[in-house]
Amino acid sequence: MKSSAHIIGAGGIGVAAAACLIRAGWDVTMVDSNPEKIAAGRRDEVMLDGQPICGAHFIHFDEWVPPTDKVVLLCTKTFDNAPVLQRIANTQALLPIQNGYDNKLEERDHPAEAIASFVSECPADRVSARITRAGSLHIGPRRKATSAAEHEHIDALASAFTEGKLFPVQRVSDIGPFKATKLMYNAAISPLAASAGVDNAELLIEPLTQKLFFALLQENYSILRYAGLTLEQIGPFHPNTVMRILQTPILPKFMGVFFRPSLRGTYCSMSPDMGSGQTEIDAYNGHLVRLAGGFPCPINNAVINLIARISGERLPQARAHLHHLAASLPHGALK
């Protein structure tokens, strides 16, 4: 019998996941709340990196009946989770592939999650995505008490993604450390690049943006370690190595040169939402501040206030926001 999956969210990650599973011979249904996406999916073929992927079915979220016996991949942004989680209460095989932390999702008992270290971008009105930065899909259990049957289910998903041959797949023993490391990076890149309206590489070019980025990255790392979370390697360096580089004179500039080419032309997922009044800031920096408790986190608090002001006043993206951010920080926050 042919394996089946329903993918909620026809954005960059959802389209990449769909393309991979279809190539592996799965039957894929894509679910989205944007009628333009659904119309485009029914009219045109799914495209990934310019290659057509045939066979996906499309249905609007309002008309979707969640399956109880099929895999459901959650590929929405966290601020869209609430209506989805209400609808999928009886779904057993849930696999989120998201950025950030949603407390309501964390409370669920689903056995597995996946974290994408690659970047896949997709227009708001089409199902034509492109992978703009190479990386892996990390997939594994999210809790220690995972049954043999649940491990088999995770293995089957990892095998299917591997068979699709669109990106490297890493079957990990615990997804938590990878999720924490992805948060460390997302919560440094996203609020800065999205506020300024620049691509991710720009954070490593201009001196002030580089200083803000490295300082926020170090604060994020300190919070996660203070909270007792284990971190794993995503990308060329382990977070511990990244921190040693940032604390060594001259080396941060060399690291900037090293990373710049891979980040050029890539944009954070928060960028298109700026000015809409709804961003992932609470799932990123808000989560870190809650983890910090009494641990000092002035830069995270400042970027939360900045994003709230930009969203509340519907301000355009501008580099000047980062100058205001730097000026608002307490003395010594930017070393």
Side-chain angles (χ1 to χ4, degrees):
M1 183 176 177
K2 199 174 187 180
S3 298
S4 299
H6 288 210
I7 299 178
I8 309 175
I13 294 298
V15 169
C20 208
L21 292 179
I22 289 171
R23 284 171 58 109
W26 283 45
D27 185 63
V28 172
T29 297
M30 302 208 71
V31 184
D32 203 279
S33 59
N34 182 348
E36 292 184 352
K37 280 266 189 187
I38 299 303
R42 291 172 175 172
R43 181 184 65 245
D44 307 319
E45 293 177 330
V46 173
M47 301 285 288
L48 183 68
D49 293 336
Q51 300 298 313
I53 309 293
C54 306
H57 315 287
F58 283 80
I59 187 168
H60 194 279
F61 179 72
D62 292 344
E63 302 168 353
W64 178 60
V65 178
T68 58
D69 59 345
K70 294 181 176 62
V71 176
V72 174
L73 273 60
L74 181 58
C75 300
T76 60
K77 293 182 178 179
T78 51
F79 56 70
D80 285 328
N81 278 357
V84 179
L85 295 180
Q86 289 180 348
R87 186 81 64 86
I88 63 175
N90 296 320
T91 298
Q92 301 300 313
L94 175 66
L95 182 78
I97 311 179
Q98 294 187 313
N99 293 322
Y101 287 73
D102 172 23
N103 288 338
K104 293 297 183 183
L105 178 60
E106 292 295 311
E107 291 170 2
R108 291 184 60 93
D109 194 41
H110 55 287
E113 289 196 29
I115 295 296
S117 61
F118 62 87
V119 177
S120 179
E121 298 178 7
C122 185
D125 58 349
R126 285 179 286 153
V127 285
S128 178
R130 62 190 183 98
I131 294 177
T132 56
R133 183 170 185 256
S136 301
L137 183 74
H138 307 265
I139 180 170
R142 59 178 293 273
R143 47 177 165 77
K144 291 182 179 179
T146 308
S147 68
E150 288 170 335
H151 275 292
E152 288 180 9
H153 169 68
I154 297 169
D155 290 341
L157 281 169
S159 296
F161 283 120
T162 300
E163 190 178 343
K165 298 180 180 179
L166 289 175
F167 38 76
V169 178
Q170 292 189 18
R171 167 59 162 97
V172 300
S173 59
D174 180 4
I175 198 65
F178 295 90
K179 187 172 181 178
T181 299
K182 185 79 185 289
L183 175 68
M184 184 186 87
Y185 291 121
N186 279 341
I189 294 172
S190 291
L192 300 178
S195 297
V198 299
D199 74 2
N200 297 336
E202 287 292 314
L203 298 180
L204 299 172
I205 295 175
E206 201 272 327
L208 176 62
T209 59
Q210 187 182 86
K211 185 177 286 190
L212 283 166
F213 174 54
F214 288 157
L216 186 51
L217 199 59
Q218 291 182 80
E219 185 174 288
N220 295 349
Y221 174 85
S222 298
I223 292 169
L224 291 165
R225 295 309 301 266
Y226 170 80
L229 297 184
T230 302
L231 303 175
E232 272 291 355
Q233 183 171 335
I234 288 181
F237 300 117
H238 190 280
N240 294 345
T241 303
V242 172
M243 290 306 112
R244 285 196 292 271
I245 291 172
L246 293 182
Q247 293 163 5
T248 304
I250 301 177
L251 284 184
K253 291 185 178 180
F254 285 106
M255 191 175 79
V257 172
F258 178 82
F259 278 111
R260 214 175 288 160
S262 68
L263 294 174
R264 188 171 289 117
T266 67
Y267 291 83
C268 64
S269 62
M270 191 184 293
S271 192
D273 301 317
M274 296 299 290
S276 70
Q278 198 171 35
T279 71
E280 298 163 292
I281 193 70
D282 186 66
Y284 292 174
N285 306 83
H287 182 75
L288 284 169
V289 168
R290 290 188 288 273
L291 279 178
F295 187 85
C297 48
I299 311 178
N300 273 277
N301 280 313
V303 298
I304 290 171
N305 292 335
L306 173 64
I307 298 296
R309 185 171 68 85
I310 293 172
S311 296
E313 299 177 21
R314 299 294 197 272
L315 300 176
Q317 296 166 294
R319 293 172 183 267
H321 292 312
L322 300 188
H323 291 273
H324 293 305
L325 172 66
S328 73
L329 295 174
H331 179 72
L334 293 181
K335 298 178 183 179

